Amino acid sequence: MFRIPKRLLAATTAVVVTLPLTLMSTANAAEPHVDNPYAGAAQYVNPTWAASVEGAATRASDPALAAKMRAVKTQPTAVWMDRISAIAGNAAGNGLRFHLDNALTQKQSGTPLVVNLVIYDLPGRDCYALASNGELPATAAGLARYKTEYIDPIAAMLAEPKYQGLRIAATIEPDSLPNLITNISHPECQVAAPFYREGVKYALDKLHAIPNVYNYIDAAHSGWLGWDSNAAPAAKLFAEVARTTQAGLASVDGFVTNTANTTPLAEPYLPNSSLVLNGTPIRSSTYYEWNFDFDELDWTAHLHSLLVAEGFPASTGMLVDTSRNGWGGAARPTATSTSTNVNTYVDESRVDRRNHRGAWCNPLGAGIGERPQSTPAAPAASHLDAFVWIKPPGESDGASTDIANDEGKRFDRMCDPTFVSPKLGNRLTGASPGAPLSGHWFESQFVELVRNAFPVINGGGNPPTDTIAPSVPAALQAGAITNTSVALTWTPSTDNVGVTGYDIYRGTTLAGSSSTASFTATGLTASTAYSFTVRAKDAAGNVSAASAAVSATTTGTSNPPGGCKVTYSANSWNTGFTASIKLTNTSTTPLTNWRLTFAFANGQTVQQGWNAVWSQAGSTVTATGNAGSWNETLAPGATLDMGFNGAHTGTNNAPTAFSVSGQPCTLG
């Protein structure tokens, strides 16, 4: 089984469910079906999982580690219906009614509650893996049992009037439809394909008919379907299956990615997958294999655009499973690599520490990721409804050795830490040793996930205080920010955590960073109105949500970034050309957060660039350094070589004027 984004991802406080002391009435008023069921809602805390976490905390010899465990045991996790007996309950856990009744006790008056439920028992389940094979064969008889003994009882229970006040978010059949995109040549997947299509259709029909149920189809992850050759066919397949249902595309509320996987939400030190290093695209590295989607924020944005093109409404929401994709700990990089070798550059910069993106089974070094939260601050293009924990941290992906069982699960060598896998480029799997069957509690892995969590977990409190509140820091209130040409006034608010640094932004451009309450924002023009926001940071690197925008008008003289010189040359052919630009800082001060602009006179367009972030609006072209990267600041006397491939219609005159952050540059 198989980018923070192009801007910093704002962290927010975790969603916390408070358990009431008294049982609520089982009479719940029905509510209309809403666009985003997570908005303004809490999520269900599985008491069975919480008990496992408490047990681990009790057995932990390190008090600090135990406190961290207890800090996350009230986080919401999904309930998996992975076989028919799971509906009533079996030796592996309590049944569906137990969880629905407990959800009623957790639901607070006036606050919706979402129960995350995983539908996972298709005939021929996981046709390309063995560790999570299911109980039902890929036959007509298996499909009949899936409908009458599995989906029908679940739907009937969810439709009971006493549960109509709960919001049920159903993750529909992880890994099933994605397997039909990439693994259809595998004989078992060929046999299972019609049963996957019909089974998913049936589940969508039965569950969509219940107004308080929300269907989210599993959509794999960036390291599985991110390539264009996989992504477009996947979106088409999702649409094809949805159109076979009674309600058509309306039977699907959204899609969930990264289910039970560890692909990072963002790659903060690789924010631009189009970057070219010494003439070589970084996406061509051995690790990314020409895939543009480095992380789940990339994949959700990519997939959403394709889904809309296939007819799904723009309101279609996305979920990301962040339960195990934090990748913190001592192995986490803290800066972008300075290497000029593409593979080394990527390997030293990526937070995903697996030796291959296809290493899916109990990967060593993984950590808990972002806490579950609704409508998280993230790029709008990702259309996120929520971060969720579909895979409960501490539950195994598969046994590391062959274990006899009656659950239909087989030994998959991808879970064997001693196996050199051809699927991983003849590398070891990187799986954890001593793992039990999939879905069973794996305590040593849970310990590792807690230790490697990112954002880090602070123990001893409820709610956890490992993220920064989305407010303007107190140290930056009421005129605390000063500048020779700008004075800002801030709306007072409360900062409830220790803050070690601040970033000030003009739009999405970083205008300055400081550990004090004073900033110098360069590249400003006199008598010009600007809008600024501030983000706070803590010692662990967590970043707050942006403050409210504050408008300010510059006074006095401009605050230019210093002198600059530009040399431009182009090599043209037919309707294409390659442009090379040398930008030199001729001043005596660093050129920070620079923005180079120029205009084309003949309708030329930029196609792909390197060593800068390139954009074009009409005839105006803009290049900036990568935020937080090696080219963000140009030292006095330093020269940056950058360029792009472009297109023209026969005339390709060179630009005649260049400026950096509004200040003219001389032509070299």
Side-chain angles (χ1 to χ4, degrees), residues 345-359:
Y345 178 89
V346 166
D347 290 343
E348 290 180 349
S349 301
R350 58 182 169 89
V351 298
D352 189 338
R353 304 317 298 166
R354 293 175 292 179
N355 58 21
H356 194 284
R357 298 183 86 193

Side-chain angles (χ1 to χ4, degrees), residues 464-490:
T465 57
D466 58 295
T467 54
I468 295 175
S471 60
V472 179
L476 297 180
Q477 295 175 18
I481 292 183
T482 59
N483 185 275
T484 56
S485 61
V486 177
L488 304 181
T489 301
W490 299 91

Side-chain angles (χ1 to χ4, degrees), residues 100-298:
L100 295 175
D101 287 343
N102 270 275
L104 292 178
T105 70
Q106 292 183 23
K107 188 176 186 297
Q108 299 290 301
S109 177
T111 301
L113 183 71
V114 177
V115 178
N116 292 298
L117 183 68
V118 182
I119 304 300
Y120 189 53
D121 200 27
L122 273 176
R125 190 180 72 193
D126 270 13
C127 59
Y128 195 65
L130 301 176
S132 48
N133 286 161
E135 63 187 345
L136 301 175
T139 62
L143 179 61
R145 291 192 65 196
Y146 177 79
K147 291 179 177 181
T148 60
E149 297 181 41
Y150 181 72
I151 293 296
D152 286 355
I154 290 174
M157 193 179 301
L158 297 180
E160 291 181 18
K162 74 172 183 174
Y163 302 130
Q164 66 183 355
L166 300 173
R167 296 178 180 178
I168 312 298
T171 293
I172 305 297
E173 297 295 349
D175 299 343
S176 58
L177 298 181
N179 266 315
L180 304 189
I181 298 300
T182 61
N183 300 316
I184 195 61
S185 63
H186 188 63
E188 292 192 18
C189 292
Q190 291 178 356
V191 172
F195 302 108
Y196 282 13
R197 286 175 176 261
E198 176 60 25
V200 170
K201 169 195 175 298
Y202 191 83
L204 291 174
D205 272 335
K206 296 291 289 188
L207 298 177
H208 176 71
I210 308 169
N212 57 309
V213 176
Y214 297 79
N215 288 328
Y216 288 85
I217 293 180
D218 179 81
H221 57 93
S222 58
W224 184 349
L225 296 181
W227 291 270
D228 291 342
S229 57
N230 292 339
K236 188 175 294 293
L237 175 62
F238 297 150
E240 287 175 356
V241 172
R243 285 194 174 96
T244 65
T245 66
Q246 297 171 9
L249 299 180
S251 66
V252 180
D253 295 277
F255 293 79
V256 54
T257 79
N258 209 41
T259 299
N261 205 267
T262 57
T263 308
L265 185 67
E267 282 287 356
Y269 308 117
L270 294 170
N272 180 10
S273 62
S274 296
L275 179 67
V276 175
L277 188 67
N278 288 337
T280 304
I282 63 172
R283 68 186 181 94
S284 70
S285 65
T286 301
Y287 195 72
Y288 289 116
E289 301 175 310
W290 293 95
N291 189 336
F292 267 117
D293 294 345
F294 285 7
D295 52 52
E296 292 311 283
L297 290 178
D298 286 344

